[in-house]
Amino acid sequence: MDKKVAIITGSRRGLGEAAAYRLARQNYDIVVNDRVGKEEVDKVVENLQEKYHVNAIGVMADVSKEEEVQKLLSVVKERFNKIDLLINNAAIVEDMEIADRKTELFNETIINNITSTYLMSKYIGKEMFDHKGGKIINISSTNGINSFFPTSIDYDASKAAIISLTHNFALEYAPYVMVNSIAPGWINTDMNKQLPKKLIAEENEKIYLKRFAEPFEIANFICFLASDECSYLNGEVIKLDGGY
């Protein structure tokens, strides 16, 4: 049986990296993508190959740019000849007060987070549709639903937009491509470990489980959505916040 092929954007670290390892355990071949950090991308690829004996490649591309998405698609098709799963995970965030946020940074966040999801879904989703099968999983956030932080207003707006993209692409590619989104709450990534201890303590108190999620816990659910067992869920957004 042919292995399935997964593309994961923004997968040199954090949730994207955790998803790559979890899917490799399920015998997926993996395309690791990021726009920066080639050494980190290469290390993830090496680990995937050594630990799980899957085919893995790293493709450096800024997936918010159309020409780079097209090049990525060309490389993946040449290497694997198919794509079964796309995880739109690439995102940036920089917290600051609204009064201090320059319009250029606001626009950069919007373009990076929304346009990347749009372009990857447009090109990879069409490829899946033409082959009459595939799944797209978009990574949104509770910041786009019910947890609001003015210090990340552009990030929050982008995650709300990704929910809208999910609904529209699910309709566009029906009935062959299943498009869903997950909206995680706080995750215990390296980036979030740098948050002020006071903020972490305050947010833990708001979470029913009294802790941030571990990346593998979110990756486990991604793996379920990607699996054949998840065969009748489409156009949905699932919160994974431990209760909040």
Side-chain angles (χ1 to χ4, degrees):
M1 182 181 296
D2 290 340
K3 291 180 180 178
K4 291 185 176 181
V5 177
I7 300 174
I8 310 170
T9 66
S11 48
R12 67 186 169 93
R13 63 180 184 179
L15 177 57
E17 180 185 10
Y21 290 134
R22 185 64 182 82
L23 288 165
R25 283 174 52 193
Q26 297 300 115
N27 211 31
Y28 276 77
D29 288 334
I30 306 292
V31 179
V32 180
N33 159 261
D34 220 304
R35 65 175 186 170
V36 296
K38 187 177 186 305
E39 289 185 2
E40 293 171 280
V41 167
D42 290 344
K43 186 62 177 177
V44 173
V45 168
E46 181 183 338
N47 288 339
L48 290 168
Q49 293 171 335
E50 289 183 356
K51 293 181 179 179
Y52 302 107
H53 308 291
V54 298
N55 294 312
I57 62 171
V59 181
M60 302 303 298
D62 182 343
V63 291
S64 70
K65 297 180 178 178
E66 192 159 15
E67 65 277 9
E68 297 198 29
V69 169
Q70 292 171 323
K71 289 179 182 178
L72 182 151
L73 175 57
S74 178
V75 169
V76 175
K77 287 177 65 176
E78 182 177 352
R79 175 65 183 270
F80 296 109
N81 199 38
K82 66 168 186 171
I83 303 160
D84 300 285
L85 174 65
L86 167 63
I87 301 175
N88 283 312
N89 172 71
I92 60 173
V93 60
E94 185 171 346
D95 293 344
M96 66 179 65
E97 299 299 328
I98 290 177
D100 298 327
R101 187 178 299 279
K102 302 296 184 184
T103 302
E104 291 78 10
L105 177 58
F106 183 95
N107 289 339
E108 181 185 1
T109 302
I110 293 297
I111 290 170
N112 185 88
N113 298 2
I114 302 175
T115 305
S116 62
T117 299
Y118 164 72
L119 287 173
M120 289 294 289
S121 298
K122 175 182 177 180
Y123 284 98
I124 308 300
K126 180 61 165 57
E127 190 74 17
M128 292 174 173
F129 184 84
D130 290 344
H131 286 83
K132 298 186 176 181
K135 292 188 176 185
I136 298 174
I137 301 172
N138 295 325
I139 308 302
S140 180
S141 170
T142 55
N143 286 49
I145 301 175
N146 68 339
S147 58
F148 309 114
F149 295 91
T151 52
S152 60
I153 192 169
D154 46 2
Y155 175 84
D156 295 8
S158 73
K159 291 302 184 176
I162 285 170
I163 291 171
S164 180
L165 290 177
T166 298
H167 297 317
N168 279 285
F169 275 115
L171 178 59
E172 175 72 8
Y173 293 137
Y176 301 122
V177 183
M178 296 169 62
V179 185
N180 292 293
S181 177
I182 65 169
W186 288 108
I187 306 174
N188 193 28
T189 59
D190 288 341
M191 182 172 62
N192 283 337
K193 289 175 183 176
Q194 306 305 314
L195 291 169
K197 291 182 179 180
K198 182 175 183 291
L199 175 63
I200 293 174
E202 290 172 349
E203 289 302 303
N204 277 335
E205 281 303 307
K206 298 176 185 177
I207 300 168
Y208 297 172
L209 297 183
K210 303 302 179 187
R211 63 178 178 84
F212 287 16
E214 294 300 327
F216 77 86
E217 294 178 296
I218 308 300
N220 284 342
F221 193 78
I222 290 173
C223 203
F224 166 71
L225 287 181
S227 72
D228 293 338
E229 282 73 22
C230 183
S231 58
Y232 202 67
L233 186 71
N234 198 18
E236 294 297 334
V237 180
I238 301 97
K239 284 199 302 175
L240 294 174
D241 60 4
Y244 188 89

